[in-house]
């Protein structure tokens, strides 16, 4: 069964600062915080093996030993899930003390954790600067999928998506992206006692970059975080079990194939440029034909099987039989699966969800053309597990407190 975990957020008003408006070039005008804070110990989470090696040498580790120390520390952190240098018992005591003085192993802080009747878990995690992002864990019979975020907010403004309305956008650091996986494994109690379980028997067996943000506008940090997650001596998730979802940042698609090699999902959502311009405004920059050209090479270069086309079902907008037929014609030649997502309505949303009958009819046309066309079923509805909901609830709570303060003069 397919899952649903997406953002539920109001439409961002078009503004001058919005890169999708007017003719402004698309920029990545977002805050990026440095990996190393100016003072204090450096966080080892998020550093590559080479970066840890360099840092250990600067901290006095003899060059000849550095590679071995990296291997040992890496295993403690990413295989065993250890956070305390004192427990790294295959390192000399004074070396452990030096590590504890120089470095930290720091993860985002879990602010709230909710568990749905159906087993879906939702975490609200706090990162530097007091920002909050959501992480959703969805258990299924044959897998457990973690939906993680790549940015706080999103610079893009898809008109059906609530995330695009958030004013503040900041790229998550590599540590904050890997950290989401680690806090979920903590909660699931999935650091191995002896040896790592095989992918298919793990509670957390799959990752989807489908939370907040456009992952390809934070390419380097997403790539480096996924490299850590895929490292065979650590979390060790196969690249086949990681899916990156993009709205269609065409120039980064080839790089994703070459430098990450994960599965790719495309927020396609429309079959004409006219409609896609409205739904996914990045289409004005990279229209459907250019996007499809970039996708044709993806399976070969990344050695992955097929591309997932995500298609949100919006009543009377993109859900006709003609749309289904056009979709089939457009993706001809691309190994594909089409995920139909019933639109998650939110207050003030300018669209309605297509009827179940319409969705089934659409799915049928695609299925008859030879494509898998699963309809995503929402999960964790009782805890509002669609990404973005809890955060907006927190923001509302804050706002009303501020309003109360204003009204009462306190
Ligand atoms: N920014 C990336 C990944 C995050 S969104 C992207 O756009 O691909 C994950 C998926 O949820 C995307 O396909 C997105 O279009 C979809 N989505 C966003 N808001 C939604 C809503 N209200 N209802 C249904 N799907 C939605
Ligand atoms: Fe939402 Fe993804 Fe569009 Fe950003 S790119 S506004 S997260 S659908």
């Amino acid at each position: 069964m397919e899952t649903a975990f997406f953002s539920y957020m109001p439409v961002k008003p078009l503004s001058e600062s919005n890169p999708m408006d007017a003719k402004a070039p698309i920029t990545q005008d977002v805050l990026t915080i440095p990996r190393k804070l100016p003072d204090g110990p450096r966080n080892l989470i998020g550093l590559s093996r080479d970066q840890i090696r360099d840092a250990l040498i600067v901290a006095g580790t003899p060059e000849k030993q550095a590679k071995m120390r990296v291997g040992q520390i890496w295993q403690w952190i990413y295989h065993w899930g250890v956070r305390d240098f004192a427990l790294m018992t295959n390192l000399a005591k004074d070396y452990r003390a030096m590590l504890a003085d120089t470095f930290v192993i720091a993860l985002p802080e879990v602010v709230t954790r909710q568990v749905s009747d159906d087993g879906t878990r939702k975490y609200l995690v706090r990162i530097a600067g007091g920002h909050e992002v959501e992480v959703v864990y969805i258990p299924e019979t044959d897998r457990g999928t973690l939906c993680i975020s790549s940015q706080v907010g999103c610079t893009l403004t898809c008109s059906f998506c609530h995330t695009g309305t958030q004013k503040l956008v900041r790229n998550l650091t590599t540590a904050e992206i890997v950290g989401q996986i680690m806090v979920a494994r903590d909660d699931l109690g999935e650091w191995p006692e002896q040896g790592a379980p095989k992918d298919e028997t793990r509670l957390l067996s799959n990752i989807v970059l489908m939370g907040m943000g456009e992952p390809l506008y934070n390419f380097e940090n997403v790539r480096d975080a996924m490299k850590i997650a895929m490292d065979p001596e650590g979390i060790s998730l196969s690249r086949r079990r990681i899916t990156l979802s993009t709205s269609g940042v065409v120039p980064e698609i080839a790089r994703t194939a070459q430098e990450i090699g994960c599965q790719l999902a495309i927020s396609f959502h429309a079959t004409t440029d006219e409609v896609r311009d409205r739904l996914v405004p990045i289409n004005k920059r990279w229209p459907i034909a250019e996007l499809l050209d970039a996708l044709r090479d993806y399976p070969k270069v990344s050695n992955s099987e097929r591309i997932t086309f995500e298609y949100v079902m919006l009543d009377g907008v993109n859900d006709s039989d003609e749309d289904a037929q056009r979709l089939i014609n457009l993706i001809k030649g691309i190994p594909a699966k089409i995920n139909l997502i019933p639109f998650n309505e939110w207050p003030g949303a300018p669209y309605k969800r297509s009827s179940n009958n319409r969705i089934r009819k659409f799915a049928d046309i695609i299925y008859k053309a030879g494509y898998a066309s699963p309809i995503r079923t929402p999960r964790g509805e009782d805890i509002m597990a669609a990404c973005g909901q809890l955060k907006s609830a927190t923001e509302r709570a804050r706002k009303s407190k501020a309003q109360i303060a204003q009204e009462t003069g306190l």
Side-chain angles (χ1 to χ4, degrees), residues 253-265:
I253 288 177
R255 269 181 96 194
T256 307
Q258 285 152 9
E259 298 178 32
I260 310 178
C262 58
Q263 305 294 312
L264 189 69

Side-chain angles (χ1 to χ4, degrees), residues 7 154 156-158 160-161 163-164 211-214 247 267:
S7 323
C154 185
L156 302 176
T157 53
C158 304
F160 55 88
C161 173
T163 309
M212 295 164 72
E214 169 47 63
S247 56
S267 291

Side-chain angles (χ1 to χ4, degrees), residues 191-351:
W191 296 105
E193 292 297 319
Q194 284 177 357
K198 286 196 183 346
D199 277 359
E200 55 275 16
T201 59
R202 293 193 199 181
L203 292 172
L204 198 172
S205 63
N206 291 60
I207 291 179
V208 291
L209 281 145
M210 291 188 187
M212 295 164 72
E214 169 47 63
L216 296 190
Y217 272 164
N218 188 13
F219 185 86
E220 278 82 11
N221 291 348
V222 166
R223 175 198 60 201
D224 295 351
M226 291 308 107
K227 287 222 159 115
I228 293 172
M230 293 188 281
D231 189 294
E233 282 169 52
I235 298 168
S236 183
L237 273 171
S238 154
R239 64 188 183 82
R240 293 179 189 281
R241 290 180 173 270
I242 299 175
T243 304
L244 183 151
S245 173
T246 178
S247 56
V249 185
V250 164
E252 304 292 358
I253 288 177
R255 269 181 96 194
T256 307
Q258 285 152 9
E259 298 178 32
I260 310 178
C262 58
Q263 305 294 312
L264 189 69
I266 295 289
S267 291
F268 205 63
H269 305 319
T271 59
T272 63
D273 282 324
E274 192 253 317
V275 176
R276 196 163 191 268
D277 280 353
R278 278 194 284 135
L279 299 181
V280 188
I282 199 175
N283 194 67
K284 291 181 206 158
R285 181 80 158 85
W286 294 293
I288 291 176
E290 277 184 45
L291 175 59
L292 290 171
D293 273 349
L295 296 181
R296 269 176 235 289
D297 289 338
Y298 192 89
K300 200 167 62 227
V301 181
S302 65
N303 190 23
S304 60
E305 281 158 26
R306 53 190 182 168
I307 291 175
T308 301
F309 285 79
E310 295 160 282
Y311 199 93
V312 63
M313 297 299 292
L314 304 170
D315 183 32
V317 176
N318 62 354
D319 62 351
S320 67
D321 289 357
E322 292 72 38
D323 279 304
Q325 200 49 57
R326 262 196 301 269
L327 182 57
I328 294 162
N329 293 340
L330 283 170
I331 65 175
K332 217 163 248 161
I334 302 176
K337 140 176 154 186
I338 295 127
N339 260 358
L340 298 178
I341 316 174
F343 174 55
N344 274 297
E345 294 175 15
W346 33 269
Y351 306 107

